[in-house]
């Protein structure tokens, strides 16, 4: 109806004369049109609201990511559920000693019954990462004094029962040995079976 | 009754808002919540034993490698508490303890005791950090892990301020909030956390609370445990053996 009227108005050049004429001379069709005209604003308003509501849901659907919502608790679990699965799919970097034993049986077996039995290979050698068949990336091997002292240097904060040594030179002297150049802890201790 | 346009628009407006709310709260809610919704459980606990920690920093180093933590930031770190006879408390954590510790410079006669306290995200039952997030980017997973959704986070750092344990930092690479995840990926893959795995003295333990044969449940039975800053009401799930009142 609205469009009907609008077309007509433009067709009639919408002069004041034409307007008056339409007001005074009414066909049945125009009678009906004027009835509709009385509700014109409501229809327009309804259309507007429908558009706004539709717009709200369209925009909302685009902004709210998939799987986002309340997952049991408003306060603590209002999130994108896929996020947890995405994080769970991250690759594990550290592989554990069992993984190393397959290729390094000697070290693994040495380690089994001695003071370092509780240590993981990766604790000393760093994470497995890309160290693979024929070692694309080599594992860190540090037989340096500092590498052992990281754990065994005497510190007040360390539990008293943990084996600690005051200094390399003092320790060597204690064993009635002479400190030779190039000597490190692994000269006397096998890191995989220190005692 | 007066019918004017103003009155009509007013009523229509209220009807609109009302119906919008109705649709939002009741009809769209369950559809958005998805099928994976579940009640929060807090199935896991992390136990730190300060009586056995030797402060070697292997845990912090392993964490960095496992989770690509940028240099200068720490998801887990070690603090050394030194309590003097005078009652004063000294705390140091050079490089987060990642490279180990050097001997104390205090006169040994002045020291009452000294010990290491490894720290990490407490994965609280009632985490402040989660409540304050304005975009739903941080949450408690169905297993009780407090996680960050990197894709949702807008980097407002409100959560960093809300955390009483300073466990969160702004990741300089992704520019989103970052923190310990209890190695969520490793746990879901059936492994233990990287820090627990590399700890040479078993000062860190992680496991299910309801697994009665597991190491965590054993310690829960055998030891008296404490949490950090219980007064904040966050209800941490990282439990400490041998915590002194001086430790915050």
């Amino acid at each position: 109806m609205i469009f009907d009227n609008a077309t007509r108005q433009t067709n009639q050049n919408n002069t004041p004369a034409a307007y008056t004429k339409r007001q005074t001379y009414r066909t049945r069709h125009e009678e009906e049109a004027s009835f509709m005209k009385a509700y014109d604003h409501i229809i327009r308003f309804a259309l507007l609201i429908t558009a706004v509501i539709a717009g709200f849901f369209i925009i909302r659907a685009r902004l709210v990511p998939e799987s986002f919502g309340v997952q049991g608790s408003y306060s603590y679990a209002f999130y994108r559920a896929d996020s947890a699965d995405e994080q769970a799919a991250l690759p594990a970097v550290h592989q554990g000693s069992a993984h190393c034993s397959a290729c390094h049986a000697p070290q693994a077996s040495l380690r089994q019954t001695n003071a370092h039995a509780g240590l993981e290979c990766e604790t000393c050698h760093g994470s497995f990462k890309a160290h693979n068949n024929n070692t694309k990336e080599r594992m860190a091997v540090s037989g340096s004094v500092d590498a052992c002292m990281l754990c065994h240097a005497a510190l007040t904060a360390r539990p008293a029962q943990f084996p600690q040594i005051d200094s390399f030179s003092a320790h060597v002297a204690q064993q009635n040995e002479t400190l030779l150049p190039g000597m490190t802890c692994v000269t006397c201790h096998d890191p995989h079976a220190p005692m | 009754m007066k019918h004017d346009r103003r009155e009509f628009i007013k009523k229509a407006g209220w009807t609109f808002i009302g119906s919008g709310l109705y649709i939002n709260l009741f009809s769209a809610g369950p559809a958005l919540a998805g099928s994976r919704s579940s009640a929060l459980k807090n199935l896991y606990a992390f136990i730190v034993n300060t009586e056995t920690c030797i402060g070697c920093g292997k845990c912090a180093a392993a964490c960095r490698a496992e989770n690509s933590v940028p240099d200068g930031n720490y998801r887990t770190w070690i603090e050394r508490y030194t309590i003097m006879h005078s009652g004063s408390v000294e705390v140091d954590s050079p490089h987060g303890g990642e490279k180990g510790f050097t001997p104390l410079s205090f006169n040994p006669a002045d020291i009452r005791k000294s010990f290491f306290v490894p720290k990490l995200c407490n994965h609280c039952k009632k985490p402040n950090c989660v409540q304050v997030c304005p975009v739903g980017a941080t949450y408690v997973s169905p297993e009780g892990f407090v996680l960050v959704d990197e894709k949702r986070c807008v980097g407002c750092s409100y959560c960093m301020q809300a955390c009483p344990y300073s466990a969160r930092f702004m990741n300089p690479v992704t520019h989103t909030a970052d923190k310990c995840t209890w190695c969520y990926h490793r746990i879901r893959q059936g492994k233990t956390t990287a820090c627990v795995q590399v700890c040479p003295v078993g000062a860190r333990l992680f496991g299910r609370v309801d697994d009665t044969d597991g190491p965590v449940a054993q310690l829960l039975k055998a030891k008296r445990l404490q949490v950090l800053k219980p007064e904040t009401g966050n209800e941490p799930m990282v439990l400490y053996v041998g915590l002194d009142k001086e430790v915050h």
Side-chain angles (χ1 to χ4, degrees):
Chain A
M1 290 316 143
I2 311 166
F3 306 119
D4 217 351
N5 269 344
T7 345
R8 186 119 61 99
Q9 279 180 17
T10 38
N11 281 353
Q12 291 175 351
N13 285 335
N14 203 17
T15 53
Y19 184 72
T20 337
K21 192 178 160 207
R22 210 155 51 78
Q23 288 292 308
T24 48
Y25 178 66
R26 294 179 161 193
T27 62
R28 197 176 136 250
H29 176 75
E30 274 178 339
E31 197 76 51
E32 214 171 62
S34 91
F35 174 80
M36 292 316 290
K37 208 171 150 242
Y39 291 94
D40 222 22
H41 60 296
I42 296 177
I43 293 165
R44 250 180 284 164
F45 191 69
L47 281 176
L48 184 71
I49 282 191
T50 318
V52 167
I53 292 178
F56 171 80
F57 280 107
I58 290 166
I59 293 169
R60 184 181 200 215
R62 307 203 111 225
L63 289 184
V64 178
E66 210 182 309
S67 84
F68 189 89
V70 179
Q71 326 281 348
S73 154
Y74 274 105
S75 306
Y76 302 118
F78 183 51
Y79 67 104
R80 198 169 58 89
D82 289 344
S83 149
D85 293 340
E86 281 165 21
Q87 294 191 47
L90 291 172
V93 174
H94 291 78
Q95 296 296 333
S97 295
H99 190 69
C100 317
S101 336
C103 302
H104 297 293
Q107 286 81 9
S109 59
L110 263 181
R111 225 180 49 101
Q112 258 153 32
T113 52
N114 67 80
H116 276 177
L119 271 66
E120 283 277 324
C121 311
E122 284 163 311
T123 302
C124 293
H125 289 295
S127 65
F128 182 72
K129 277 186 200 148
H131 171 68
N132 221 321
N133 241 340
N134 298 321
T135 57
K136 272 178 230 123
E137 192 176 306
R138 304 189 124 206
M139 299 295 287
V141 184
S142 177
S144 71
V145 170
D146 285 346
C148 305
M149 292 303 260
L150 191 62
C151 291
H152 287 291
L155 291 179
T156 323
R158 292 210 158 127
Q161 72 274 17
F162 186 81
Q164 300 163 50
I165 60 172
D166 287 327
S167 75
F168 183 39
S169 50
H171 177 64
V172 174
Q174 215 176 6
Q175 315 305 330
N176 295 321
E177 301 269 355
T178 37
L179 186 58
L180 304 168
M183 190 186 243
T184 65
C185 311
V186 295
T187 313
C188 301
H189 298 281
D190 180 340
H192 305 117
M195 257 169 81
Chain B
M1 198 177 153
K2 213 178 126 212
H3 288 281
D4 63 1
R5 182 177 303 188
R6 188 181 295 265
E7 197 64 27
F8 173 74
I9 289 176
K10 238 195 225 167
K11 281 183 183 153
W14 284 119
T15 314
F16 175 52
I17 290 168
S19 58
L21 273 179
Y22 180 81
I23 290 166
N24 247 326
L25 292 180
F26 301 102
S27 19
L32 273 174
S35 52
R36 266 168 294 182
S37 72
S38 58
L40 302 175
K41 286 195 192 79
N42 293 93
L43 291 171
Y44 291 86
F46 196 109
I47 298 184
V48 176
N49 193 338
T50 62
E51 285 168 4
T52 57
C53 178
I54 57 169
C56 65
K58 295 285 186 187
C59 48
C63 176
R64 186 178 302 291
E66 181 71 43
N67 299 298
S68 320
V69 181
D71 278 336
N73 297 118
Y74 300 89
R75 285 188 178 193
T76 184
W77 67 99
I78 305 105
E79 288 172 5
R80 173 166 58 186
Y81 276 76
T82 307
I83 300 164
M84 305 299 181
H85 285 301
S86 65
S88 72
V89 182
E90 308 284 339
V91 186
D92 69 331
S93 183
H95 303 287
E98 190 183 356
K99 297 179 168 73
F101 289 81
T102 48
L104 292 166
S105 53
F106 309 109
N107 180 357
D110 293 340
I111 301 170
R112 182 183 288 156
K113 60 181 154 188
S114 180
F115 52 92
F116 295 108
V117 182
K119 291 194 173 171
L120 65 157
C121 170
N122 282 280
H123 293 265
C124 306
K125 268 190 199 166
K126 296 180 177 168
N128 283 348
C129 57
V130 170
Q131 291 185 55
V132 301
C133 181
V135 294
T138 184
Y139 56 94
V140 181
S141 83
E143 305 89 352
F145 292 53
V146 178
L147 300 175
V148 181
D149 182 353
E150 232 179 59
K151 293 188 185 149
R152 291 283 301 161
C153 180
V154 293
C156 73
S157 69
Y158 199 10
C159 54
M160 288 168 59
Q161 295 175 45
C163 175
Y165 305 101
S166 308
R168 289 174 174 253
F169 59 90
M170 192 50 60
N171 187 314
V173 180
T174 61
H175 300 290
T176 55
D178 200 331
K179 68 171 197 68
C180 160
T181 61
W182 270 355
C183 282
Y184 186 67
H185 59 299
R186 296 178 60 88
I187 306 307
R188 285 273 298 261
Q189 289 161 29
K191 301 180 163 72
T192 189
T193 75
C195 57
V196 167
Q197 175 151 5
V198 301
C199 180
V201 291
R204 290 167 175 256
L205 284 174
F206 182 75
R208 287 179 76 104
V209 178
D210 55 354
D211 174 11
T212 41
D213 300 326
V216 163
Q218 294 288 324
L219 260 187
L220 282 174
K221 270 190 270 180
K223 290 276 185 183
R224 276 159 294 282
L225 302 154
Q226 252 182 310
V227 297
L228 292 169
K229 299 183 190 173
E231 69 277 9
T232 65
N234 280 245
E235 300 186 20
M237 292 304 287
V238 174
L239 313 170
Y240 284 84
V241 178
L243 211 57
D244 254 332
K245 69 177 193 310
E246 284 85 356
V247 181
H248 299 293

